[in-house]
């Protein structure tokens, strides 16, 4: 098998090289992206508008109040469990102010061990998942997430509700700008992603239907 | 010395132009071909019509028979040696000569000749507006028309506003746009006979759109499209008259 | 790609489609909507032009450096822990996928959308080996239930309306109550597939862009099934055509923008998933292994010709077919090609032979709507004409030759064009013919073999009373 692999690789690359000498690349002019800038005060309203169009929900709050906003939302929506990453600064703040488990209070569940040890719970018993973000994108709407050992990937995918913490000051003009300013090219994590709303499909009669395989709802908690 | 037509319409009027009628106009819309010549002559331009001309070669070119297309193209080019613009009453044939002749002659010893010729090719309505900047006076009765633009006129020659500009100068002519006006009418040269059923579906939709405008006349600057749509409308018993725009413009504006 | 099976024919399939009013209505509605949405996204012609030029340049750069970029991609992926495999053809690619699945004893496999896997006929192959891969993209799930192939590269079930889908679900999904409500249908699919994601041993996906600079695989989706397929099972196998590599990470945002706006008229999709490795050392989830299969399957041959290599710039957005007047009327299945529509007309003949698939080359009026909307500037009509030339005049030997070059030439048609050439280079003969046609004007019999195709729905064309040549001479227009 490895011999065949080596042969396939050599054959393909050999054929490509023999085909034509490397050509000069046409110049790439990124000005069309570089000139796409928004006044700072406009970034958040624009992001919000774009994301609400695709059914994302927003709650505005402050640095001091955001954990309460999360708890209030869970209570109001009668969501019993919130899965989260306990060892992030945001996670620790949540745990600090979490109500102490009276009847009817939502439960805070740490996602701090390999998924294999809690897969059934994750899929069937978690009502919501909480993550932080690495900012947002004003141009199109969208949140930037870099899942990590502290905030695993499935937090923003498996529970039917995803609650994401966004700081207004971290909203970029465009995806292109975010990639450059945050220097993604220097070190990519195993998984990085953009999320612009709850999951959806238009595969039936090109009519939008929300809540397909990813979360049915995306709540963005904005710290202004 | 070649004449190319800049977009800004600042080219000066030449003292003479060649006229390439195109084979479809020659055979099916000859009066319109002559009207085109008259419209040019009226502006004080000397029009030369080399009698040896036949066809731009597009049908063979599009079918993949490039050797045959080249032979015919070469014969045409030889008839237009002087540095005059070459005016055509067809966006499709103009596109063939202007954009595809250079490719057709790539690697040939006379490619420079072909390129020089191609640079002088211009479609009639864009020549009337962009170079001659004609001023038209409508001498006809009130009428409603609709316009069909050929795909090649729009997409290869970039002609969209020019025919509308000309028609807008006619006070008694009301122009109604076709729905889905950017969609192909289904002619496509040999496409109409290679894929007759798909072509039939396309021309049926186009003719239904024409009828929906309630215009009494369909105008176009492309003989192939006209033959196609007119053929379908007539087969349906429609009374919509289908005319080449050169014919229409000449008839509406000539001194009685 | 077997030569033993008879060549597919577009015309009869198109004929059947044209007679199906439900299919025609479904496609007309769908295409009109997609055209409108795309138009809204690119309302600013300057931005469209500049972004398209950038997209064309980025994809052009990929072609200019293709072998180097593939090597860099492999090196970066390998550094990241992604195992890279090379496959010369579909057979090799399928064997690689099977090998990985067998190695892990994987029998429950979920798939997210991959046109390359359709090209490989991977599902059929795995099913023959006793593995049933489940399509998780809703459109793909629907057509899998229906034992159908996709009719569009972005929206595979676009040929069906809700009633047809409701009947299908009612028949095939035991636990579902019959409904024609779109949200309820979607909820049924969600329930069924959620269980499958949970149980899956392996996930197979495509790749929208593979970044050489960082060894990153980018996946575009709205539903979440892509992330489910690539993060939940312990093995992830990604399949890509070798042309999907791009050089730098900063090249991705403009291509992503062009893709979503051209394909579905969305400024951004729900998810843009960027995978640069398997589960990291401390990560709690993610696959233990990620494999990338780089597939050739005829692409390196297409690459050999500089003009035809433009075919490989394609980012599979589907805008060309959305705007094609032929596709709108017959839908994707009529093409009998993994890739339908305009891109299929240039890709499939190059992969399968311009003789065998000459029918696809004929299925175009060369209207140019496709080239006008292509976000990476592929001049599709020009390539169609080029391939038609290859079919007639191409020589099958030598490097840079197109598959089955020259095999589209037929004696009868060649003779006709020879006669045409003679008539049009001999101006005396031409004018004599014109004289005859104008004097015999109405005597042209409509039942003549080729003419009858015209006259079946149109009146017989009637020549003028005189040719323009005659009118011009009579009017005294100078000859030189």
């Amino acid at each position: 098998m490895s011999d065949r692999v080596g042969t396939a690789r050599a054959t393909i690359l050999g054929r490509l090289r023999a085909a034509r000498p490397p050509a000069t690349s046409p110049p790439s002019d990124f000005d069309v992206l570089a000139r796409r800038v928004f006044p700072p005060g406009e970034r958040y309203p624009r992001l919000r508008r774009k994301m609400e169009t695709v059914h994302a929900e927003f709650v505005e709050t402050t640095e001091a109040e955001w954990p309460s906003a999360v708890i209030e939302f869970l209570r109001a929506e009668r969501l019993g469990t919130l899965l989260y990453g306990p060892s992030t600064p945001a996670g620790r703040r949540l745990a600090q102010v979490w109500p102490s488990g009276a009847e009817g209070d939502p439960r805070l569940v740490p996602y701090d061990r390999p998924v294999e040890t809690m897969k059934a719970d994750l899929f069937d018993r978690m009502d919501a998942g909480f993550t932080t973000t690495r900012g947002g994108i004003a141009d199109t709407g969208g949140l930037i997430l870099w899942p990590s050992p502290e905030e695993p990937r499935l937090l923003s995918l498996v529970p039917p509700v995803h609650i994401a913490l966004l700081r207004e000051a971290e909203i970029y003009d465009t995806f292109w700008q975010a990639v450059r300013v945050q220097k993604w090219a220097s070190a990519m994590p195993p998984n990085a992603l953009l999320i612009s709303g709850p999951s959806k499909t238009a595969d039936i009669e090109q009519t939008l239907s929300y809540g397909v395989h990813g979360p049915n709802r995306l709540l963005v908690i904005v710290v202004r | 010395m070649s004449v190319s037509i800049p977009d800004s319409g600042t080219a000066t009027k030449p003292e003479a132009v060649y006229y390439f009628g195109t084979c479809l106009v020659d055979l099916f819309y000859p009066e319109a071909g002559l009207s085109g010549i008259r419209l040019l002559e009226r502006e004080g331009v000397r029009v030369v019509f080399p009698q040896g001309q036949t066809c731009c070669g597009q049908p063979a070119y599009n079918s993949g028979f490039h050797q045959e297309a080249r032979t015919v193209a070469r014969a045409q080019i030889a008839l237009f040696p002087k540095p005059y613009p070459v005016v055509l009453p067809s966006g499709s044939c103009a596109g063939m000569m202007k954009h595809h002749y250079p490719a057709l002659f790539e690697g040939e010893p006379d490619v420079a000749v072909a390129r020089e010729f191609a640079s002088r090719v211009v479609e009639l309505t864009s020549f009337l507006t962009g170079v001659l900047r004609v001023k038209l006076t409508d001498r006809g009765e009130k009428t409603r028309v609709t316009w069909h633009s050929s795909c090649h006129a729009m997409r290869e020659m970039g002609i969209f506003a020019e025919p509308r500009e000309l028609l807008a100068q006619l006070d008694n002519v009301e122009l109604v746009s076709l729905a889905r006006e950017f969609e192909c009418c289904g002619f496509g040269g040999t496409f109409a006979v290679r894929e007759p059923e798909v072509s039939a579906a396309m021309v049926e939709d186009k003719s239904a759109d024409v009828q929906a405008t309630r215009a009494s006349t369909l105008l176009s600057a492309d003989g192939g499209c006209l033959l196609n749509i007119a053929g379908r409308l007539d087969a349906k018993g429609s009374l919509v008259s289908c005319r080449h725009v050169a014919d229409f413009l000449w008839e509406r504006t000539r001194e009685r | 790609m077997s030569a033993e099976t008879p060549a597919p024919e577009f015309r009869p399939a198109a004929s059947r489609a044209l007679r199906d009013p439900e299919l025609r209505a479904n496609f007309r509605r769908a295409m009109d909507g997609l055209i409108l949405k795309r138009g809204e996204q690119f309302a600013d012609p300057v931005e469209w032009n500049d972004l398209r030029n950038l997209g064309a340049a980025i994809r052009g750069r990929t072609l200019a450096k293709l072998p180097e970029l593939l090597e860099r991609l492999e090196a970066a992926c390998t550094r990241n822990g992604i195992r890279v495999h090379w496959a010369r053809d579909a057979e090799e690619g399928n064997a690689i996928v099977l090998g990985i699945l067998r190695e892990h004893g994987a029998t429950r496999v979920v798939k997210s959308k991959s046109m390359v896997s359709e090209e490989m006929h991977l599902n059929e192959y795995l099913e023959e080996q006793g593995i049933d891969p489940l399509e998780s993209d809703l459109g793909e799930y629907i057509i899998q239930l229906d034992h159908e192939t996709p009719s569009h590269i972005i929206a595979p079930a676009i040929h069906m309306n809700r009633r047809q889908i409701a009947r299908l679900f009612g028949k095939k999904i035991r636990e579902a109550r019959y409904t024609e409500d779109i949200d309820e249908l979607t909820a049924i699919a969600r329930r069924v597939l959620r269980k499958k994601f949970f149980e899956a041993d392996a996930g197979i996906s495509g790749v929208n862009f593979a970044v050489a600079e960082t060894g990153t695989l980018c996946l575009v989706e709205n539903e979440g099934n892509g992330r489910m397929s690539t993060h939940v099972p312990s093995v992830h196998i990604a399949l890509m055509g070798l042309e999907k590599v791009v050089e730098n990470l900063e090249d991705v945002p403009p291509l992503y923008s062009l893709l979503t706006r051209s394909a579905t008229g969305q400024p951004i999709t729900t998810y843009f998933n960027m995978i640069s490795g398997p589960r990291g050392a401390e990560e709690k989830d993610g696959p233990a292994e990620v494999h990338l299969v780089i597939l050739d399957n005829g692409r390196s041959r297409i690459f050999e010709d500089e003009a035809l290599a433009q075919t490989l710039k394609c980012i599979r957005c589907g805008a060309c077919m959305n705007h094609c007047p032929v596709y709108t009327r017959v839908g994707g299945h009529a093409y009998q090609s993994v890739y339908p529509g305009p891109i299929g007309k240039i890709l499939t003949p190059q992969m399968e032979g311009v003789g065998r698939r000459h029918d696809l080359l004929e299925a175009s009026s060369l209207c140019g709507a496709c080239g006008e909307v292509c976000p990476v500037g592929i001049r599709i009509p020009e390539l169609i004409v080029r391939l038609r030339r290859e079919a007639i005049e191409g020589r099958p030997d030598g490097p840079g030759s197109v598959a089955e070059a020259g095999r589209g030439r037929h004696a009868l048609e060649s003779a006709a064009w020879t006669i045409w050439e003679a008539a049009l280079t001999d101006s005396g003969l031409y004018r004599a013919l014109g004289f005859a046609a104008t004097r015999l004007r109405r005597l042209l019999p409509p039942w003549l073999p080729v003419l009858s195709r015209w006259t079946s729905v149109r009146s017989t064309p009637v020549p003028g009373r005189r040719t323009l040549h005659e009118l011009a001479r009579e009017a005294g227009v100078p000859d030189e």
Side-chain angles (χ1 to χ4, degrees), chain C residues 91-159:
Chain C
E91 210 187 306
E92 232 168 47
N94 287 337
I96 289 167
V97 173
L98 181 66
I100 297 166
L101 295 176
R102 288 260 190 267
E103 202 184 302
H104 292 272
T107 51
R108 291 169 301 196
V109 177
V110 285
K111 280 188 68 211
S112 75
K113 204 156 140 29
S114 161
M115 287 310 297
V116 158
S117 74
E118 303 277 347
E119 187 186 322
M120 292 159 72
H121 301 292
L122 176 66
N123 289 5
E124 260 173 63
Y125 175 85
L126 290 177
E127 282 158 15
E128 278 164 19
Q129 306 292 329
I131 297 173
D132 289 328
L134 179 68
E135 294 288 350
S136 65
D137 172 274
L138 180 59
E140 292 282 347
Y141 174 68
I142 288 168
I143 60 170
Q144 189 177 47
L145 276 182
D146 205 24
H147 300 293
E148 260 296 358
T149 52
S151 60
H152 188 283
I153 64 173
I154 298 294
I158 206 165
H159 58 287

Side-chain angles (χ1 to χ4, degrees), chain C residues 414-459:
Chain C
S414 294
W417 289 112
T418 304
I419 294 168
W420 173 92
E421 181 191 16
L424 294 171
T425 42
D426 180 344
S427 58
L429 174 57
Y430 172 83
R431 273 174 293 174
L433 289 169
F435 182 88
T438 48
R439 296 332 186 256
L440 299 173
R441 327 175 52 213
R442 295 185 192 279
L443 297 183
L444 201 55
W447 44 259
L448 280 180
V450 168
L451 191 56
S452 64
R453 296 186 190 174
W454 178 275
T455 56
S456 59
V457 295
R458 305 171 188 78
S459 303

Side-chain angles (χ1 to χ4, degrees), chain A residues 9 111 119 156 209 212 214, chain C residues 50 74 183 190 198 227 285:
Chain A
R9 181 184 187 280
Y111 190 175
K119 199 169 172 186
S156 61
S209 182
V212 199
Chain C
D50 290 348
E74 179 188 46
D183 288 333
R190 182 192 167 93
F198 182 88
R227 291 177 65 204
D285 51 26

Side-chain angles (χ1 to χ4, degrees), chain A residues 35-170:
Chain A
R35 67 180 187 246
R36 195 151 184 79
V37 294
F38 304 96
E42 211 182 286
R43 288 187 196 126
Y44 165 61
R46 188 185 167 96
L47 173 146
R48 178 166 176 163
R49 226 174 28 243
K50 296 278 174 186
M51 290 183 70
E52 282 180 331
T53 304
V54 288
H55 294 206
E57 300 163 70
F58 281 77
V59 165
E60 290 177 19
T61 180
T62 62
E63 190 60 59
E65 293 295 301
W66 74 257
S68 314
V70 174
I71 296 163
E72 252 171 66
F73 174 76
L74 294 171
R75 279 200 180 112
E77 301 298 319
R78 298 178 194 283
L79 298 170
T81 49
L82 179 70
L83 190 66
Y84 81 121
S87 48
T88 62
R92 280 193 288 274
R93 277 202 63 200
L94 262 184
Q96 252 170 14
V97 304
W98 205 259
S100 41
E103 185 71 46
D105 271 343
R107 243 182 348 116
L108 193 60
V109 180
Y111 190 175
D112 57 359
R113 33 196 230 285
V115 62
E116 288 77 15
T117 65
M118 49 183 285
K119 199 169 172 186
D121 271 353
L122 170 61
F123 269 75
D124 300 332
R125 284 178 271 283
M126 295 300 123
D127 298 321
F130 172 84
T131 70
T132 56
T133 62
R134 272 177 59 120
I137 297 167
D139 183 22
T140 54
L143 308 174
I144 300 169
L145 272 78
W146 277 30
S148 64
E150 294 75 37
E151 262 186 2
R153 308 177 192 200
L154 300 181
L155 272 176
S156 61
L157 179 63
V158 175
V161 177
H162 173 209
I163 302 174
L165 185 68
L166 172 69
R167 296 200 154 77
E168 184 181 359
E170 292 176 359

Side-chain angles (χ1 to χ4, degrees), chain B residues 26-27 30 49-51 53-54 62 66-67 71 152 155 183 193-194 197 199 205 228 231-232 234, chain C residues 11 15 19 28 329 367 372 388-389 393 413 421 424 430 453 457-459 464 468-469 478-479:
Chain B
D26 188 36
L27 196 55
F49 184 93
Q51 283 284 328
Q53 63 182 264
T54 61
N62 286 346
H66 287 201
Q67 239 168 268
T71 314
H152 292 159
R155 298 190 176 108
E183 193 172 85
V193 296
R194 287 188 204 274
E197 292 190 60
S199 173
D205 286 347
N228 182 37
R232 179 63 193 146
D234 190 59
Chain C
R11 210 162 306 141
S15 179
R19 286 175 230 283
R28 186 86 249 186
R329 287 175 175 79
C367 79
E372 202 175 41
R388 289 176 181 178
R389 189 189 97 199
E393 299 179 343
E413 190 183 356
E421 181 191 16
L424 294 171
Y430 172 83
R453 296 186 190 174
V457 295
R458 305 171 188 78
S459 303
L468 176 58
H469 281 73
D479 183 22

Side-chain angles (χ1 to χ4, degrees), chain B residues 26 31 98 104 124-125 129 138 145 151 154 162 169 180 210 226 243 252:
Chain B
D26 188 36
E31 305 285 352
K98 190 163 202 69
L104 182 58
L124 177 65
T125 61
T129 52
D138 194 355
V145 306
C151 295
M154 280 193 296
E162 293 84 338
Q169 292 189 38
R180 282 197 292 255
V210 169
L226 264 179
R243 302 178 64 188
R252 301 279 306 189

Side-chain angles (χ1 to χ4, degrees), chain A residues 1 4-5 7-9 11-13 15-17 19-33 35-36 50 54 111-116 119-124 126 137 139-142 145 147-150 152-160 175-176 179-180 184-216, chain C residues 29-30 37 46-47 50-51 54 57-58 60-61 64-68 70-71 74 86-88 92 95-96 136-139 142 154-158 160-162 165 182-183 185-186 189-190 193-194 197-198 213-214 216 222-225 227-228 230-232 242 249-254 256 266-280 282-287 294 296 300-301 303-306 309:
Chain A
M1 171 91 146
R4 179 173 57 164
V5 170
T7 310
R9 181 184 187 280
T11 307
I12 294 169
L13 288 172
R15 189 160 184 163
L16 293 175
R17 292 215 147 89
R20 296 187 275 121
T24 43
S25 305
S28 297
D29 184 357
F30 286 86
D31 182 66
V32 60
L33 295 172
R35 67 180 187 246
R36 195 151 184 79
K50 296 278 174 186
V54 288
Y111 190 175
D112 57 359
R113 33 196 230 285
V115 62
E116 288 77 15
K119 199 169 172 186
D121 271 353
L122 170 61
F123 269 75
D124 300 332
M126 295 300 123
I137 297 167
D139 183 22
T140 54
L145 272 78
S148 64
E150 294 75 37
R153 308 177 192 200
L154 300 181
L155 272 176
S156 61
L157 179 63
V158 175
F175 180 22
W176 181 75
V179 166
R180 284 159 66 89
W184 290 25
S186 63
M188 285 294 278
N191 185 224
L193 73 150
L194 303 180
I195 297 180
S196 64
S199 65
K200 61 182 179 284
T201 181
D203 271 339
I204 301 178
E205 283 188 1
Q206 294 73 57
T207 305
L208 277 172
S209 182
Y210 288 85
V212 199
H213 306 297
N216 304 327
Chain C
R29 183 194 61 239
K37 289 215 183 104
V46 174
E47 196 238 344
D50 290 348
L51 193 60
L54 177 56
I58 291 169
R61 184 161 20 106
K65 299 175 163 188
L66 187 57
E68 177 206 324
L70 286 171
E71 283 182 321
E74 179 188 46
W86 300 75
R88 281 171 287 197
E92 232 168 47
I96 289 167
S136 65
D137 172 274
L138 180 59
I142 288 168
I154 298 294
I158 206 165
M160 300 174 78
N161 58 38
R162 79 180 77 181
I165 294 169
I182 289 177
D183 288 333
L185 288 167
T186 303
R190 182 192 167 93
L193 281 157
R194 195 170 172 85
F197 292 128
F198 182 88
E213 184 184 23
T214 53
T216 302
N222 282 309
E223 296 178 20
N225 65 304
R227 291 177 65 204
M228 282 287 196
T230 58
H231 296 329
V232 178
L242 54 73
L249 204 54
E250 79 160 347
D251 294 330
V252 169
Y256 176 46
Q266 294 179 274
I268 190 176
T269 48
T270 312
Y271 306 111
F272 187 64
N273 186 12
M274 304 172 82
I275 294 169
S276 307
R279 186 186 301 198
E282 307 284 320
E283 275 196 281
K284 312 295 186 291
D285 51 26
I294 301 177
D296 182 346
S300 58
R301 183 176 189 171
F303 181 72
E304 286 172 1
D305 183 286
E306 200 175 334

